[in-house]
Amino acid sequence: MTPAQPGAAPDLVELAKIVARQRAEMDRMRDQAATSAVVERAKGAVMALTGCSADAAGEHLRERAKTARHTLLEECWITLGTLAPTAPGPDQAAEATDACPPGSRSGALADASAPDDVAAALARLGQALVRVTTPHDLARCLLGHLAQDMAADAVMIYARRPDGGLELTGHAGIDDKLAAQWSQVPPLSGIAALDALRAGEPRWLEDFAADEQRYLLIGDPPERWRSRAWLPVLVGDSAEVCIGVLRGRAGAFTPRDRAHLRGVTGLCAGRLRAFDTPAERSTDAATNAVQALFEALPVAAMLLTPLRAASGETEDFLVEAATAQVGELLGRTGEEPAGRRLLEFRPALAGEPLWRGLLDVLATGEPYEGEPFAHEEVVDGVAELFTYAARVAPLGDTLVVSWIRHGSSDRQEQRLADIQRLGNLGWANWNLVTREASWSTQVFTIVGRDSARGAVPLDEVPHLALPEDTPALTRAVTELVQRGRPFDVPFRIRTTGGIRHLRLVAEAVSDRHGAPVEVHGFIQDMTARRRAELALVESERAILTQHDVLRAERTLASRLQHALLPMANRPVHLAGLRVEVAYLPAQSGVHVGGDWFSAIELPDGDALLVVGDVAGHGVDAVATMAQLRFTAKGMVITGSSLTGALARLNTLLLHSRDAQSTATMVLARYSPRQRRLVWAQAGHLPLLLLRDGEVRYLRRPRGMLLGATSTPVYEQAECRLGPGDRLILFTDGLVEHPPESIDRGLERLAEAVAAPPTDGPGSLGSLLAKMLPEVRRDDVCVVDVRVPGVRER
């Protein structure tokens, strides 16, 4: 603004000051109203859990905040984020009042002993959250909060999808292109955010080289962020949202940073649950005018504003205005719905057709009219039933819902229309004396005839049928007209929409002499039923055919697999090693998997040990397995290094007939002279080493799974084996048994290998018995390598 000259237009200067003061006052009042709404919502949650009064709930929150060194607003956010209210039972009501609400378990979210600067930062964040209205706003707010404090460069917010995958609901600090690439994440292993949600614990990614091996890292390139933290947002005992903090700098998150981030997620849980909660119903002149307008309407009606959850989906509606009759029609006679949430006013509405209609109108913009329903009203002291139909129409960003009451004649017509619509039939009437015919509208629709042409006389009805059905229908009509014999005859007609299967049921009305003078009946469209019957027959045939094909394919694949993987009946000795192998096919499903092994002695006296797993099942997976198995052996025998062999196998898969194939593999070469084991891997699980009663997984060298990229990097690692050492190579079918996590499976394998054997040192039986469930969902391949001890030589 250009400075005003002295003496020039002083009224404008004063006006500008007044506007600035008013704007500041409005911002202050808006924040105050939003803060008050958060506090009242938290009090309501405590009241619902404990059954205490509003004053007691407020005092409880203040005491908890004081104990945990929180502001009252922080404690309210934490309470909203973790409370899972349930109605106390009769024997729990008394003690619930003194119970500590889960929402106040502040120690798990922001330690009361946290540094003063962290507590102050969380207090500022709690205040800033009242101005956040969307997940994107939340991400921007968090980035602004964490950028200076711990050098955060980006924030990402993921919500769990119903299929177990992730959806990016908010982000800040990343470009739209990268956000689009990572907007939907399938439920795969190796995703840090998913790992954090499944475990319910944060994942601190502070060693970029190790993290790159374990996880699929976000970024283009991933090196853009050298350290990351993924923190699940706990709501009650579960987590459906995960917040990621990404930093360009390397290094660990300090204990102070970790405490700070845990406190942040505690506050965000409450914000995520309270999105779009109205701070307080406005009582300005515009709102009063709308309510006054609705009160003057002669029908029951209400105005709704949608309220959206963190995911963007509509979770409820706010009743902005309503007529007096609405409360009665919604089953809450005498209560005022205006200013309340619709599902709060009538929770059962979520399971009724009207709720679905509201969402459909919101999505499509097309009006909705519900099915008529009966409602009892008291008129002059007498209870009477009336029929209503609900209608929903869009009005800008809001919806108008109205209820129309039908008269008695309307109800009769509506019932008749309902019967015809539900039965897909229509009535017909023929006067045999005057040759007049009349059909209902539904009959014209069924036979595909324009109503302007009028109904077809009874003796001409058989001509509507296909030629092969005409004789039977003609005989039935003749018998009815001449002898009054009723009939029920199926026949087919041809319409612009194709062949229809119809049914005509008719009976005659006779005069006093017994001569038929009138015929009435109905025509029913049976096309859908007939097509369903034919489809069922075809489906049964297709199922039988497909079953035979799948059984033949499984038999072929199984024979190929047994031919390619000859199993030794007893342990074999290679280069001074004692090697035992086990292969167990999956017991569920109809396909054979692509797991394989190889254990041979090379011409120079070394031993080659290989375990691999091709993605997919069936003949194609077995064929790819054979290609990789024999090619790998050939390459190593002819002098290729282990990393060179993996690189060439990757190229082979990329240029194979099925370019979508991928596989994991471990190649290990043992030299008996130096007792040196050199190994490389391509996206496979690590080797397990047992030495002197202690087990550990060998650190995996770098290596991307085969067929995933044209520029892979493979490295090899070295391990010296000593007498008595035991080495386990295996595929994921041994340790991955959903819903158990693969990390837990690896822990169980280590425990099983470390346990003393119960059936002799030369058998895999006890190990497999401990590790495998009753029904295996995947193939299992294990290569058990032992270095003989001094006494065994």
Side-chain angles (χ1 to χ4, degrees):
M1 178 182 294
T2 304
Q5 299 297 325
D11 54 327
L12 294 180
V13 176
E14 290 301 320
L15 181 60
K17 293 180 179 179
I18 292 173
V19 170
R21 286 197 299 270
Q22 289 181 338
R23 186 171 297 164
E25 180 64 14
M26 289 177 63
D27 290 341
R28 185 190 67 79
M29 293 179 65
R30 187 181 296 111
D31 287 351
Q32 185 178 13
T35 300
S36 177
V38 174
V39 174
E40 292 302 317
R41 187 179 174 91
K43 287 167 61 178
V46 174
M47 290 166 62
L49 178 67
T50 65
C52 65
S53 66
D55 291 341
E59 182 62 26
H60 188 81
L61 288 170
R62 286 189 289 271
E63 288 297 324
R64 294 297 304 174
K66 180 179 179 180
T67 302
R69 297 177 59 198
H70 293 156
T71 65
L72 176 60
L73 186 58
E74 282 183 273
E75 187 62 32
C76 290
W77 283 129
I78 295 171
T79 298
L80 289 175
T82 54
L83 270 179
T86 55
D91 57 341
Q92 298 172 325
E95 62 185 36
T97 305
D98 299 325
C100 175
S104 299
R105 288 180 298 194
S106 309
L109 298 166
D111 194 336
S113 63
D116 291 340
D117 60 335
V118 170
L122 291 176
R124 291 193 298 272
L125 177 61
Q127 188 63 49
L129 288 179
V130 302
R131 293 185 289 273
V132 170
T133 59
T134 69
H136 284 297
D137 287 347
L138 178 59
R140 288 189 288 268
C141 177
L142 293 180
L143 182 59
H145 176 76
L146 299 173
Q148 294 296 327
D149 188 82
M150 59 184 70
D153 294 299
V155 171
M156 301 179 75
I157 302 176
Y158 276 107
R160 195 199 304 265
R161 299 197 314 248
D163 64 355
L166 297 176
E167 179 179 359
L168 183 63
T169 59
H171 62 83
I174 67 173
D175 55 71
D176 292 339
K177 180 181 178 182
L178 185 62
Q181 292 174 347
W182 287 88
S183 62
Q184 302 290 331
V185 179
L188 304 173
S189 59
I191 304 296
L194 270 174
D195 194 14
L197 280 178
R198 290 166 179 161
E201 291 291 339
R203 289 294 179 258
W204 310 100
L205 280 62
E206 302 164 322
D207 183 341
F208 183 81
D211 297 334
E212 192 177 27
Q213 293 296 315
R214 183 176 183 183
Y215 295 115
L216 184 60
L217 299 181
I218 297 174
D220 190 14
E223 292 82 0
R224 176 179 175 183
W225 295 299
R226 307 291 297 186
S227 60
R228 309 150 191 252
W230 290 98
L231 299 100
V233 180
L234 293 173
V235 178
D237 296 326
S238 63
E240 297 296 326
V241 176
C242 191
I243 297 178
V245 178
L246 292 71
R247 305 191 302 184
R249 77 181 190 189
F253 290 87
T254 66
R256 174 194 174 280
D257 292 341
R258 295 192 177 196
H260 191 172
L261 289 175
R262 290 181 187 272
V264 166
T265 59
L267 297 179
C268 289
R271 176 67 273 182
L272 288 166
R273 293 187 69 180
F275 271 134
D276 292 312
T277 299
E280 187 175 344
R281 185 168 181 255
S282 175
T283 57
D284 56 21
T287 301
N288 292 334
V290 172
Q291 181 60 40
L293 172 63
F294 268 71
E295 289 175 353
L297 293 176
V299 298
M302 63 181 175
L303 181 67
L304 302 178
T305 296
L307 302 177
R308 305 186 186 278
S311 62
E313 297 181 355
T314 300
E315 64 176 6
D316 205 345
F317 292 88
L318 177 65
V319 182
E320 298 285 1
T323 61
Q325 306 98 309
V326 169
E328 184 176 350
L329 285 171
L330 291 179
R332 303 291 290 270
T333 303
E335 295 190 35
E336 172 60 51
R340 300 174 64 178
R341 284 174 171 250
L342 187 57
L343 292 183
E344 172 193 334
F345 189 74
R346 180 177 169 82
L349 189 67
E352 298 177 3
L354 178 58
W355 179 260
R356 185 71 259 168
L358 293 171
L359 298 181
D360 288 343
V361 174
L362 203 59
T364 65
E366 297 294 327
Y368 162 83
E369 181 165 351
E371 296 297 325
F373 64 92
H375 177 70
E376 185 179 88
E377 297 179 6
V378 178
V379 179
D380 296 330
V382 179
E384 294 186 20
L385 280 178
F386 293 91
T387 301
Y388 285 86
R391 296 176 180 175
V392 183
L395 180 63
D397 295 331
T398 63
L399 300 179
V400 176
V401 184
S402 59
W403 285 266
I404 307 300
R405 190 169 79 174
H406 300 285
S408 58
S409 60
D410 294 334
R411 291 201 300 271
Q412 294 294 341
E413 292 181 5
Q414 183 63 46
R415 288 168 184 167
L416 181 58
D418 288 343
I419 291 173
Q420 295 185 81
R421 176 179 53 81
L422 294 173
N424 203 4
L425 53 82
W427 59 262
N429 191 80
W430 292 275
N431 189 312
L432 302 181
V433 178
T434 63
R435 288 186 55 81
E436 292 179 351
S438 59
W439 287 354
S440 68
T441 304
Q442 190 76 4
V443 173
F444 286 100
T445 302
I446 290 173
V447 301
R449 182 180 176 87
D450 187 354
S451 59
R453 298 173 58 189
V456 176
L458 182 60
D459 57 351
E460 296 180 17
V461 169
H463 300 300
L464 297 176
L466 295 181
E468 50 267 40
D469 294 342
T470 299
L473 189 55
T474 300
R475 286 193 299 271
V477 171
T478 301
E479 288 289 323
L480 174 66
V481 172
Q482 294 180 356
R483 298 181 175 83
R485 182 176 297 172
F487 66 80
D488 183 344
V489 177
F491 64 100
R492 294 167 294 171
I493 65 172
R494 188 183 303 277
T495 67
T496 55
I499 301 297
R500 288 188 180 177
H501 295 261
L502 306 183
R503 172 193 180 199
L504 175 56
V505 180
E507 65 179 5
V509 177
S510 303
D511 61 13
R512 59 182 179 176
H513 304 295
V517 294
E518 188 177 4
V519 173
H520 55 252
F522 66 86
I523 295 177
Q524 186 175 18
D525 188 350
M526 307 291 289
T527 304
R529 178 176 176 179
R530 182 59 178 160
R531 286 177 179 171
E533 293 172 351
L534 295 175
L536 180 60
V537 172
E538 290 299 320
S539 176
E540 291 176 348
R541 292 176 181 172
I543 290 173
L544 292 175
T545 301
Q546 183 67 14
H547 181 270
D548 292 341
V549 171
L550 293 176
R551 185 168 56 185
E553 180 181 332
R554 179 177 176 84
T555 300
L556 174 60
S558 180
R559 289 177 179 175
L560 286 173
Q561 195 175 54
H562 285 299
L564 296 170
L565 295 176
M567 296 292 296
N569 294 327
R570 59 180 60 88
V572 297
H573 295 273
L574 303 173
L577 300 175
R578 182 179 180 276
V579 181
E580 186 176 0
V581 298
Y583 172 79
L584 299 173
Q587 292 175 311
S588 63
V590 296
H591 292 299
V592 176
D595 291 21
W596 89 93
F597 67 89
S598 184
I600 63 171
E601 188 167 306
L602 300 174
D604 61 358
D606 289 358
L608 177 65
L609 307 169
V610 188
V611 165
D613 184 2
V614 174
H617 296 82
V619 175
D620 290 341
V622 174
T624 303
M625 174 268 286
Q627 187 180 39
L628 294 177
R629 183 174 186 266
F630 291 114
T631 304
K633 289 197 298 185
M635 287 181 178
V636 176
I637 289 174
T638 55
S640 292
S641 65
L642 301 184
T643 56
L646 289 177
R648 292 183 179 89
L649 291 172
N650 180 75
T651 303
L652 177 66
L653 268 191
L654 288 174
H655 295 84
S656 64
R657 177 176 60 85
D658 184 6
Q660 301 300 318
S661 294
T662 58
T664 65
M665 182 187 294
V666 170
L667 286 174
R669 183 168 186 158
Y670 175 72
S671 176
R673 290 174 293 279
Q674 296 86 19
R675 291 182 179 171
R676 184 171 68 110
L677 180 80
V678 179
W679 67 292
Q681 62 88 29
H684 204 83
L685 295 169
L687 308 185
L688 179 64
L689 175 65
L690 172 64
R691 173 175 293 171
D692 297 330
E694 295 184 359
V695 294
R696 66 182 178 92
Y697 287 100
L698 301 184
R699 185 182 181 88
R700 294 193 310 167
R702 294 178 62 187
M704 179 65 72
L705 76 162
L706 302 177
T709 176
S710 59
T711 57
V713 176
Y714 295 107
E715 297 177 353
Q716 66 182 29
E718 181 178 325
C719 176
R720 300 281 179 170
L721 298 181
D725 283 356
R726 183 183 183 186
L727 193 69
I728 305 292
L729 294 75
F730 56 93
T731 58
D732 58 359
L734 183 65
V735 294
E736 191 170 23
H737 308 296
E740 178 185 80
S741 68
I742 194 169
D743 290 338
R744 177 55 189 147
L746 292 170
E747 293 174 1
R748 288 201 305 110
L749 176 60
E751 294 168 359
V753 171
T758 59
D759 54 354
S763 174
L764 279 174
S766 60
L767 177 62
L768 297 176
K770 292 178 181 179
M771 291 300 301
L772 299 180
E774 294 182 1
V775 178
R776 296 184 300 276
R777 298 183 179 181
D778 198 3
D779 293 4
V780 177
C781 187
V782 182
V783 176
D784 187 358
V785 180
R786 301 168 189 260
V787 181
V790 177
R791 296 182 180 180
E792 298 179 68
R793 300 188 179 188

